[in-house]
Amino acid sequence: MPATSASCFGISLVVGNPWDSVQPSGSISGVQVESRSCAAAMAASTAAGKQRIPKVAKVKNKAPAEVQITAEQLLREAKERELELLPPPPQQKITDEEELNDYKLRKRKTFEDNIRKNRTVISNWIKYAQWEESLKEIQRARSIYERALDVDYRNITLWLKYAEMEMKNRQVNHARNIWDRAITTLPRVNQFWYKYTYMEEMLGNIAGARQVFERWMEWQPEEQAWHSYINFELRYKEVDRARTIYERFVLVHPDVKNWIKYARFEEKHGYFAHARKVYERAVEFFGDEHMDEHLYVAFAKFEENQKEFERVRVIYKYALDRISKQEAQELFKNYTIFEKKFGDRRGIEDIIVSKRRFQYEEEVKANPHNYDAWFDYLRLVESDAEAETVREVYERAIANVPPIQEKRHWKRYIYLWVNYALYEELEAKDPERTRQVYQASLELIPHKKFTFAKMWLLYAQFEIRQKNLPFARRALVLWKSYIDFEIEQEETERTRNLYRRLLQRTQHVKVWISFAQFELSSRKEGSLAKCRQIYEEANKTMRNCEEKEERLMLLESWRSFEDEFGTVSDKERVDKLMPEKVKKRRKVQADDGSDAGWEEYYDYIFPEDAANQPNLKLLAMAKLWKKQQQEKEAAEQDPDKDIDETES
């Protein structure tokens, strides 16, 4: 009996979990074990033990099958077939307090186990707290939320659920405490501030909501937060408070759109003077460096609504004079529409002039040394603008001095000064400013390298028109008359001093030649030596002159003098100073700066110029080689002549 009893107990275990015992034949037995006897079970077990286990056949073909079955496919098929369909758990009805406590204990144990497995999964904490809340266990729910905050106080959802629980259960002070802690811990989470202010406003605590907004603004939040504060004040008709907030807002977020919103706020509430003041402050705030066309368009439309059409024109013109063309397309468009609605023909012409001015401004900004663009710009402003504007453009133009001190680069530039002086004299009727323009131009010209006789003549003619002969004499034109007068009076020393004074102002070749001829014409003792000394001084001074034709003119005059009065050695000396005339090529550029090909020109190479000595040596060698080639060709043509010349 003990053995039978043990066998029976063993079979009863099989009944409890039939999958743990599989018969060798592959069938499951023991499903109806309760109706069997212990002896029958033992007999069946003995019979099964005597059966032989069949041998497993060896796989001969180990090649992969044509159709491969993956583990993923097996799992998917198992899921589709739902081999194990478990029935839903039965609904339990709790009838007494003991069962309820037992249910709570089991449920809390489950939640605690889940939390213990992974503390960082905040959803488990929230579910746990919400379950306690559903049982009206508010204190337990608070404890769970507090424990969760110790785990992850940066979780935004956790704070929101915690505060919402307190608000739903009308625990206002607790909710306020939670919001205070949230905005102190995470002040950059705007959602906390929005919820907090909304709760205070719904409770009717306007002062408390305003206090929360003020705390929020100290953190300088995004633009929408400021707008929420402004709208909050406007809901309670606090316009002055809203204006104060706007004042702080445009300084924290100094964008053009925010200044425009501020001005439109004043306009909407009927404070038109305040709105105009806001626009004016915005123009001053952004200045000329950060101008934006949208600000001026909004300003002009405001004045248009107030029927202040002259103000509108001033605003558009002021902006168009200072904003680049690429950034003022909307400005031009609105200005044109305004003039078509309220302006006349003159206003439309002003728009066209403004567009042309923009074009010229862009050209001179791109290339300040494009003097042709300055000439076009000046003609435009002279025909339409006031004197101060014209002077301003002239001053900007003449400030662009050519970077290279070569006369060919100055020829176009010097006409800016000429036109400036003529404008002051003929249009502005201001002789004193005209005199200042002439004097400034003469001081600017590098007379030691080149000069412009036209400027001296124009200045002297201007002084003559002003009936101011002393100024004219000091200028130039009458220098020759003054010198001739002293010569007629036979004041040789005075004449010589006049020439020296004139040479301090200009190093023109004609002045040097005239000075040398004066010394020659004196016919006094040593006049030839003094004349030759003047030529030598002039030649030394003009070595740095870029106008090589003028230097050549001086040497030709000197050679004529030596041919008449000098010795053979004097003539040879001057001949050695004469330059070589060579043909050269140089690139030509069009007005727009593009290459226009090559041009030929003649240049003069002076032997005294140390920099040109290699070139002279090369030219001499080339001439020698050419001469030798010519002699060789002549010898080949007449060999007898070559023999005779050799014998001789």
Side-chain angles (χ1 to χ4, degrees):
M1 287 300 295
T4 303
S5 177
S7 299
C8 292
F9 284 117
I11 292 175
S12 64
L13 291 174
V14 173
V15 175
N17 190 359
W19 295 103
D20 291 340
S21 178
V22 181
Q23 299 297 328
S25 60
S27 61
I28 300 174
S29 63
V31 177
Q32 302 293 333
V33 172
E34 290 83 356
S35 59
R36 285 186 174 187
S37 63
C38 291
M42 292 174 63
S45 176
T46 304
K50 293 180 179 180
Q51 292 180 356
R52 290 184 178 180
I53 299 174
K55 295 182 179 180
V56 179
K58 294 183 179 180
V59 179
K60 296 181 180 180
N61 185 8
K62 296 183 179 181
E66 295 181 359
V67 180
Q68 296 293 320
I69 301 176
T70 62
E72 182 183 0
Q73 184 177 356
L74 293 173
L75 293 174
R76 185 171 61 251
E77 290 179 356
K79 180 66 177 175
E80 291 175 353
R81 294 178 183 179
E82 293 291 346
L83 297 179
E84 295 185 8
L85 296 177
L86 299 177
Q91 293 184 353
Q92 297 180 350
K93 293 183 179 180
I94 299 174
T95 57
D96 56 9
E97 185 176 358
E98 184 178 356
E99 291 182 356
L100 178 59
N101 293 333
D102 182 61
Y103 165 73
K104 290 180 181 179
L105 182 62
R106 285 186 285 107
K107 196 69 172 177
R108 285 172 183 147
K109 184 178 183 302
T110 303
F111 280 122
E112 292 291 344
D113 291 341
N114 291 335
I115 291 172
R116 195 179 300 109
K117 290 177 183 177
N118 194 344
R119 290 168 54 84
T120 59
V121 179
I122 301 300
S123 59
N124 292 335
W125 293 95
I126 295 175
K127 291 177 182 178
Y128 190 8
Q130 289 177 342
W131 180 78
E132 293 288 359
E133 181 188 358
S134 65
L135 298 177
K136 303 301 180 182
E137 296 284 352
I138 305 300
Q139 191 60 37
R140 285 181 174 273
R142 288 194 190 107
S143 176
I144 295 167
Y145 277 121
E146 292 294 338
R147 290 166 59 196
L149 289 175
D150 291 337
V151 175
D152 186 7
Y153 69 92
R154 294 181 177 275
N155 191 287
I156 298 173
T157 305
L158 195 60
W159 287 102
L160 294 175
K161 294 294 185 181
Y162 191 5
E164 288 174 0
M165 180 197 74
E166 299 291 1
M167 290 189 293
K168 283 192 296 184
N169 291 277
R170 303 177 182 274
Q171 302 294 322
V172 176
N173 290 330
H174 281 283
R176 188 175 287 123
N177 181 37
I178 294 168
W179 289 128
D180 277 327
R181 291 166 58 194
I183 62 177
T184 303
T185 306
L186 302 172
R188 291 298 180 185
V189 180
N190 294 330
Q191 199 171 2
F192 294 161
W193 297 97
Y194 284 120
K195 294 276 189 181
Y196 194 4
T197 55
Y198 180 73
M199 183 192 77
E200 296 291 359
E201 187 176 1
M202 291 297 101
L203 293 172
N205 186 12
I206 307 303
R210 184 176 291 116
Q211 184 179 6
V212 175
F213 270 118
E214 285 296 329
R215 291 174 60 188
W216 191 7
M217 297 306 109
E218 290 178 359
W219 290 94
Q220 297 183 356
E222 60 186 12
E223 296 179 7
Q224 186 57 43
W226 293 88
H227 290 306
S228 299
Y229 191 11
I230 292 169
N231 294 331
F232 164 78
E233 296 292 358
L234 292 178
R235 283 196 293 270
Y236 300 98
K237 311 300 181 184
E238 296 287 349
V239 179
D240 292 335
R241 289 181 179 272
R243 181 180 294 114
T244 305
I245 299 168
Y246 260 119
E247 287 288 337
R248 296 158 57 192
F249 172 47
V250 295
L251 296 179
V252 175
H253 296 282
D255 296 333
V256 171
K257 61 179 182 179
N258 295 330
W259 283 92
I260 294 174
K261 289 179 181 178
Y262 184 15
R264 288 176 178 171
F265 155 78
E266 298 286 4
E267 182 181 4
K268 179 180 178 181
H269 291 85
Y271 298 98
F272 302 113
H274 287 185
R276 181 176 292 114
K277 188 67 175 177
V278 171
Y279 279 119
E280 292 174 352
R281 287 173 54 201
V283 171
E284 182 181 359
F285 178 82
F286 290 102
D288 294 342
E289 296 181 357
H290 304 283
M291 295 182 69
D292 192 299
E293 63 173 347
H294 298 93
L295 175 62
Y296 292 92
V297 170
F299 194 4
K301 287 185 177 181
F302 164 76
E303 296 292 356
E304 183 179 339
N305 294 335
Q306 306 305 315
K307 310 300 181 184
E308 295 286 349
F309 300 133
E310 288 303 320
R311 285 178 176 268
V312 176
R313 288 189 179 92
V314 171
I315 293 169
Y316 278 124
K317 291 180 179 179
Y318 177 85
L320 290 174
D321 288 341
R322 289 163 174 81
I323 302 179
S324 62
K325 183 180 178 181
Q326 289 78 7
E327 299 175 356
Q329 299 297 327
E330 193 69 21
L331 199 64
F332 270 120
K333 179 181 177 182
N334 285 275
Y335 188 20
T336 306
I337 294 173
F338 167 76
E339 290 293 349
K340 288 181 179 179
K341 289 167 58 178
F342 304 103
D344 52 6
R345 181 178 179 180
R346 177 63 180 173
I348 298 175
E349 291 177 353
D350 288 342
I351 297 177
I352 298 173
V353 171
S354 298
K355 288 184 178 180
R356 291 178 61 190
R357 289 188 65 180
F358 265 103
Q359 294 175 358
Y360 292 136
E361 283 287 349
E362 294 300 320
E363 291 182 13
V364 297
K365 284 181 181 178
N367 185 8
H369 295 94
N370 184 3
Y371 301 120
D372 292 328
W374 282 110
F375 288 135
D376 296 336
Y377 192 7
L378 288 165
R379 280 196 294 270
L380 176 66
V381 295
E382 284 182 13
S383 64
D384 186 71
E386 298 179 354
E388 290 301 324
T389 304
V390 177
R391 289 189 181 111
E392 180 186 356
V393 179
Y394 265 117
E395 292 293 335
R396 291 170 54 197
I398 62 178
N400 300 291
V401 182
I404 303 175
Q405 290 188 351
E406 295 181 5
K407 191 170 183 178
R408 61 190 182 93
H409 292 289
W410 284 63
K411 288 181 179 179
R412 294 294 290 166
Y413 169 72
I414 206 67
Y415 275 99
L416 290 172
W417 288 94
V418 174
N419 293 347
Y420 191 8
L422 293 176
Y423 171 79
E424 292 291 353
E425 181 184 0
L426 302 178
E427 300 294 335
K429 309 294 183 183
D430 193 336
E432 185 58 34
R433 289 187 66 91
T434 307
R435 184 174 294 109
Q436 293 174 3
V437 171
Y438 276 121
Q439 292 174 352
S441 65
L442 292 174
E443 291 176 1
L444 183 65
I445 298 172
H447 299 291
K448 292 185 179 181
K449 293 189 175 182
F450 57 85
T451 188
F452 291 95
K454 182 182 291 293
M455 291 302 298
W456 297 97
L457 294 172
L458 290 173
Y459 181 27
Q461 291 168 4
F462 159 73
E463 295 294 358
I464 291 172
R465 287 192 296 271
Q466 300 300 318
K467 299 180 181 181
N468 195 344
L469 296 182
F471 277 78
R473 288 191 180 96
R474 284 200 298 267
L476 176 63
V477 178
L478 294 181
W479 277 98
K480 183 68 170 89
S481 301
Y482 193 6
I483 291 171
D484 293 341
F485 169 76
E486 296 293 354
I487 293 174
E488 290 176 1
Q489 301 298 320
E490 297 182 358
E491 295 286 347
T492 305
E493 194 61 32
R494 286 180 176 271
T495 306
R496 189 176 289 117
N497 291 334
L498 283 175
Y499 271 115
R500 289 297 179 184
R501 288 170 57 190
L502 181 57
L503 288 172
Q504 290 178 358
R505 293 176 175 267
T506 177
Q507 298 290 331
H508 200 277
V509 65
K510 291 183 179 180
V511 179
W512 285 107
I513 294 174
S514 177
F515 191 10
Q517 291 175 352
F518 157 73
E519 294 291 356
L520 179 63
S521 63
S522 64
R523 299 297 180 180
K524 294 183 179 181
E525 184 179 358
S527 60
L528 294 178
K530 289 182 179 179
C531 180
R532 186 176 290 111
Q533 183 182 356
I534 296 300
Y535 276 121
E536 290 177 352
E537 184 181 353
N539 181 55
K540 184 178 180 181
T541 302
M542 297 187 69
R543 284 179 183 177
N544 298 325
C545 179
E546 295 182 0
E547 298 295 334
K548 296 184 179 181
E549 291 82 359
E550 296 182 1
R551 188 177 176 187
L552 177 61
M553 187 187 304
L554 176 70
L555 292 175
E556 289 176 347
S557 176
W558 190 3
R559 185 168 61 179
S560 299
F561 163 75
E562 297 294 355
D563 288 342
E564 185 175 356
F565 303 101
T567 62
V568 176
S569 61
D570 292 332
K571 295 178 183 179
E572 291 178 353
R573 181 188 175 194
V574 177
D575 289 336
K576 290 180 180 179
L577 297 177
M578 297 301 292
E580 291 286 340
K581 186 178 181 180
V582 295
K583 185 185 291 186
K584 292 185 178 181
R585 298 177 64 202
R586 61 188 174 192
K587 282 187 175 182
V588 181
Q589 290 186 344
D591 294 338
D592 58 355
S594 60
D595 293 337
W598 296 79
E599 68 173 0
E600 293 184 350
Y601 70 100
Y602 288 97
D603 193 11
Y604 298 94
I605 301 176
F606 293 86
E608 290 182 318
D609 296 342
N612 292 325
Q613 289 300 325
N615 295 334
L616 289 176
K617 187 176 180 180
L618 181 62
L619 287 173
M621 293 175 63
K623 286 184 178 180
L624 179 61
W625 177 83
K626 186 176 182 181
K627 183 178 180 180
Q628 292 175 354
Q629 290 295 112
Q630 291 176 351
E631 292 176 354
K632 185 178 180 181
E633 292 176 359
E636 290 176 355
Q637 293 177 0
D638 193 359
D640 294 336
K641 180 180 179 182
D642 186 47
I643 292 171
D644 295 339
E645 290 178 353
T646 305
E647 292 177 353
S648 62

